[in-house]
Amino acid sequence: MDYKHDRIPNGIIMFGTAIGFLSHSRGNGWQCILSAGVAILISFCILYPLFRIGGIGAGDVKLLLMTGSYFSVDMQLHIMMFSFIIGALLSIEKMISEDNFKERMQYLCSYMMDLLRTGQWKLYGENLSTNYHKYKSNKIHFALPIFLSVMLGLGGIF
């Protein structure tokens, strides 16, 4: 859905989260459900600032929160970390293929310097040069890195 429609429907997220909570309830009942709730809450606290500055989309946040309903806090944090590592690698590949790596890195440095200087968060990407907008978009579909991270976790890689 993310690639085809550029969104992840709430119904799919809600259904997946309900299945995650139900699967947890078969374990140790409320203890497992509480653990999943804590994983979701910690994930939200980490992801919300990234969402607010436009660094990650709402569907991606909800998808990562959904994964928290299946895994322990420790596993959820690993999934998030590996999702961002995989996402960074895909982003680098995209910047290289679109020949805008230098421009994007200069913008990132400028953004970070402005943040340090003013202490004010702003929407990331709003001041990109007009040349950049000739490319498809300034984002990657994060559902793939999340999926790959979950598979790596389930496969015992971490």
Side-chain angles (χ1 to χ4, degrees), residues 49-61:
L50 295 172
F51 166 73
R52 289 291 298 168
I53 64 167
I56 187 171
D60 303 322
V61 170

Side-chain angles (χ1 to χ4, degrees), residues 85-104:
I85 291 169
I86 294 167
L89 294 172
L90 291 175
S91 295
I92 290 169
E93 183 276 326
K94 181 176 180 170
M95 288 184 285
I96 290 170
S97 70
E98 292 181 349
D99 196 30
N100 63 0
F101 183 83
K102 182 179 175 184
E103 177 185 356
R104 295 293 301 178

